[in-house]
Amino acid sequence: MKGADFADLDGRQIRVGLDVGGTKIDAVAVSPSGDILGRLRRPTGWGDDAVVESIVLAVGALADETGFEVSDIGSVGIGIPGLVDADTGRVLHAVNLGVESLDLAVRAQQALGVPFRVENDVKAAALGAAVLRGVTGSMAYLNLGTGVAAGIVVDGRIWRGARGTAGEVGHISVDPNGRLCGCGQRGCVETFCGGGALSRAWGRPGALPVKDIFDAADAGDVTALALRADLHHGAAAAVRVLVLSADVETVIIGGGLTALGERLELGIRTSLRADAETSPFMRSLHLEERIELLAPGSPAAAFGAALVGASVTEKEIVSHG
């Protein structure tokens, strides 16, 4: 798989990207020409020390499996949830990892002797999706997973806005009388289409609650039908916000809920068309034609992290707005 050209720093060829999630790390090794040479997944640790250790072990395991030495690595980029200071590599409030404040880049670099750069996971995924899909101009990446978040890429650079929150649509309230959100507001986009919120509203046991909701809706379950409609409505609202506020040409949808495939995509498109029926202005935007789903299992997040790590200076690939 080919994505982008990578600079060759001090003769070391391999670029590594890590997408660090609450339960697993998705790691890729990338050649200077942008080919993905190897990929693996490993468990993520809990707490500062365990997170650093799991990252170090993932890099070593990737090198062993792909057939190169750690000394061949020119850079490692990390995409991780939480608030990230991309300049210092510090991570704050990554609650699903047990991390409150961690100088991740410094500690990982000390452990491996390789340059590290750290980015928010959704922003890294946005960059990776843009490059892998060959998007030029502007696009947004909408991540539908346990929570809902988005990143915006303009001309191959992450657009952060004034304080780094550009594109963060999950906590825009679209129904002040809606369900209570973890952020303290009611009716946030995330309460409609976040997997965690839907699972809580469903309230029934199951390993894949959102899939269970869709299956039950297909069978006519009234509660499931309402929750499935909520998901489609919330995702459509997020698409509208991203297009109307940033005028992005394309919205690429990723995250764990894309495992639903066509059932998710068709529902979002149908909701966008239905919501625009009474508005000539909204119909003129053709929002339903401007969305696309990443394939389940796409390496976009880890590949985007490799792009971030490969930059000679952060500003060459990642803009601060």
Side-chain angles (χ1 to χ4, degrees):
M1 182 180 296
K2 182 161 288 189
D5 290 332
F6 288 73
D8 181 17
L9 300 181
D10 61 26
R12 294 189 287 185
Q13 297 281 319
I14 305 297
R15 309 298 172 205
V16 170
L18 305 176
D19 177 35
V20 179
T23 59
K24 66 173 177 58
I25 295 174
D26 186 15
V28 297
V30 184
S31 74
S33 61
D35 294 307
I36 294 179
L37 304 174
R39 184 183 186 188
L40 61 76
R41 291 181 174 87
R42 287 181 60 91
T44 307
W46 173 267
D48 293 5
D49 294 342
V51 167
V52 174
E53 181 183 18
S54 60
I55 285 169
V56 171
L57 290 174
V59 174
L62 182 65
D64 290 342
E65 185 169 299
T66 309
F68 60 86
E69 301 295 328
V70 172
S71 59
D72 295 327
I73 300 173
S75 63
V76 180
I78 297 173
I80 191 168
L83 299 176
V84 175
D85 185 330
D87 291 325
T88 65
R90 177 177 296 168
V91 181
L92 301 174
H93 312 307
V95 293
N96 290 334
L97 294 166
V99 169
E100 181 58 30
S101 178
L102 174 61
D103 288 316
L104 181 54
V106 170
R107 289 189 54 180
Q109 187 164 321
Q110 288 173 343
L112 279 178
V114 176
F116 274 77
R117 289 184 175 87
V118 184
E119 180 55 86
N120 171 266
D121 58 341
V122 175
K123 289 181 171 61
L127 186 60
V131 173
L132 288 175
R133 301 301 284 264
V135 175
T136 58
S138 63
M139 61 146 277
Y141 172 80
L142 175 61
N143 190 83
L144 300 179
T146 302
V148 177
I152 295 173
V153 174
V154 180
D155 296 331
R157 299 169 184 261
I158 296 171
W159 180 49
R160 299 176 180 279
R163 300 189 181 184
T165 58
E168 291 287 357
V169 297
H171 295 296
I172 292 176
S173 175
V174 293
D175 180 4
N177 298 313
R179 288 188 288 269
L180 182 65
C181 183
C183 76
Q185 300 183 100
R186 286 193 174 274
C188 290
V189 165
E190 185 169 297
T191 67
F192 284 89
C193 57
L198 288 167
S199 176
R200 289 189 294 274
W202 181 234
R204 305 180 195 180
L208 299 169
V210 179
K211 180 179 181 298
D212 292 344
I213 290 169
F214 271 59
D215 290 343
D218 288 342
D221 183 284
V222 174
T223 300
L225 285 165
L227 290 174
R228 184 176 66 179
D230 279 352
L231 194 166
H232 295 151
H233 168 73
V239 171
R240 279 196 301 276
V241 169
L242 289 165
V243 173
L244 289 172
S245 61
D247 195 26
V248 293
E249 180 60 33
T250 304
V251 178
I252 296 179
I253 301 172
L257 297 192
T258 58
L260 294 164
E262 186 177 333
R263 293 202 287 177
L264 175 67
E265 184 174 9
L266 180 60
I268 297 172
R269 290 187 194 278
T270 301
S271 184
L272 286 167
R273 282 195 297 269
D275 292 343
E277 279 183 359
T278 59
S279 171
F281 167 65
M282 294 304 300
R283 289 200 303 274
S284 73
L285 298 177
H286 301 289
L287 296 183
E288 75 279 5
E289 299 173 10
R290 293 162 73 167
I291 66 170
E292 56 182 277
L293 258 62
L294 279 182
S298 168
F303 186 82
L307 278 169
V308 170
S311 58
V312 178
T313 64
E314 191 71 18
K315 290 184 179 179
E316 288 190 12
I317 288 182
V318 183
S319 170
H320 288 270

